[in-house]
Amino acid sequence: MKLSRIAALSSSLLLAAALALTGAGAAQAVGQAQSLDYVALGDSYSSGVGAGSYDSGSGSCKRSTRAYPALWAAANSPSTFAFTACSGARTGDVTAGQLAPLGAATDLVSISVGGNDAGFADVMTTCVLQSESACLSRIATARGYVDTTLPGKLDSVYSAISAKAPSARVVVLGYPRFYKLGGGCVAGLSENERTAINGASDYLNAATAKRAADHGYTFAAVAPAFTGHEICSGSPWLHSLNLGNIGESYHPNAAGQSGGYLPVFTAAA
């Protein structure tokens, strides 16, 4: 009996110590987040186009309170949060108009960029409005751009970020695959077109990941998180063609930001 009481007492003390350590670790994590200066850069996938609840002050940039940068900031309360991502942004737009908040004190930067440079919008317009052969040809042109031109443009952006915020942890987020192949869509693009579009997204992500790694940045792939939630799935996290709001077409909805982008960014940050 005495041994049992001693064992019970020891177990209680160990449990209390474990809980105390866990609480201390959680408090430390919160404290670390609260001491961060965070800047969110990039294109519409970072500004939150498609998620709704846009900040009226952001104008055509359509920065959403449901975008992953705003959600992360709300959950982690960093010391400062600057949100300059903008709908339609290309690499040159980021370097020309989004980097002002960066500085020596910046601790964390997130960015998604490159899709507009590669002609994402034109690819989808061609594929929706023209023939399959025209669609596949336009995708081939985009892949050629990713091979020859995009790496240098990404280098320019990443180098500019490093120059202004040399101590920052930079997380480069990729793009999801758009379509669930063999899914529930009964009209629209052919399966060949959907396959080619998915492949182009993978191709762009691979090129972006290579450039990010060469700059010492973290590449955060979101395609796995979106698996099972693509267009043509039973629970899509992406808008399909939306004739009532063309700009939101092929962008993550609020669930795609909170269920797809946010956890991936949180794990990388």
Side-chain angles (χ1 to χ4, degrees):
M1 179 68 71
K2 185 176 182 181
L3 288 175
S4 297
R5 289 176 179 173
I6 292 173
L9 178 60
S10 299
S11 297
S12 297
L13 290 172
L14 287 171
L15 178 59
L19 290 172
L21 288 172
T22 301
Q28 183 180 18
V30 171
Q32 288 172 345
Q34 289 177 339
S35 67
L36 285 175
D37 294 298
Y38 169 39
V39 180
L41 312 170
D43 56 21
S44 54
Y45 278 68
S46 288
S47 73
V49 170
S53 186
Y54 304 118
D55 175 6
S56 59
S58 68
S60 61
C61 285
K62 291 192 172 181
R63 288 187 280 270
S64 171
T65 61
R66 298 171 182 166
Y68 75 86
L71 295 175
W72 189 91
N76 292 277
S77 300
S79 296
T80 63
F81 171 48
F83 192 8
T84 60
C86 188
S87 175
R90 300 187 180 196
T91 50
D93 298 315
V94 173
T95 54
Q98 295 188 20
L99 305 186
L102 295 177
T106 303
D107 301 292
L108 178 64
V109 176
S110 64
I111 183 171
S112 63
V113 74
N116 290 318
D117 294 78
F120 150 75
D122 189 54
V123 165
M124 296 312 300
T125 299
T126 300
C127 290
V128 168
L129 298 179
Q130 300 186 34
S131 65
E132 180 178 301
S133 61
C135 171
L136 298 181
S137 176
R138 183 63 186 86
I139 290 171
T141 299
R143 288 171 69 112
Y145 183 94
V146 170
D147 284 335
T148 60
T149 307
L150 185 62
K153 290 185 174 292
L154 292 175
D155 283 339
S156 295
V157 174
Y158 298 161
S159 294
I161 292 171
S162 294
K164 296 202 68 171
S167 300
R169 176 173 179 79
V170 181
V171 179
V172 178
L173 292 105
Y175 299 96
R177 299 185 188 100
F178 286 173
Y179 294 100
K180 177 177 174 60
L181 301 179
C185 293
V186 295
L189 303 183
S190 70
E191 201 74 347
N192 284 340
E193 290 171 308
R194 291 171 185 149
T195 299
I197 290 168
N198 282 358
S201 178
D202 289 342
Y203 203 72
L204 173 59
N205 284 331
T208 304
K210 175 64 167 60
R211 301 317 311 141
D214 286 350
H215 285 262
Y217 295 167
T218 297
F219 180 77
V222 300
F226 276 80
T227 299
H229 296 285
E230 307 95 332
I231 298 168
C232 301
S233 71
S235 178
W237 285 354
L238 291 153
H239 293 280
S240 185
L241 177 64
N242 182 353
L243 295 176
N245 192 333
I246 291 293
E248 293 193 343
S249 301
Y250 309 110
H251 284 82
N253 55 29
Q257 289 286 340
S258 64
Y261 271 90
L262 177 61
V264 171
F265 175 58
T266 300

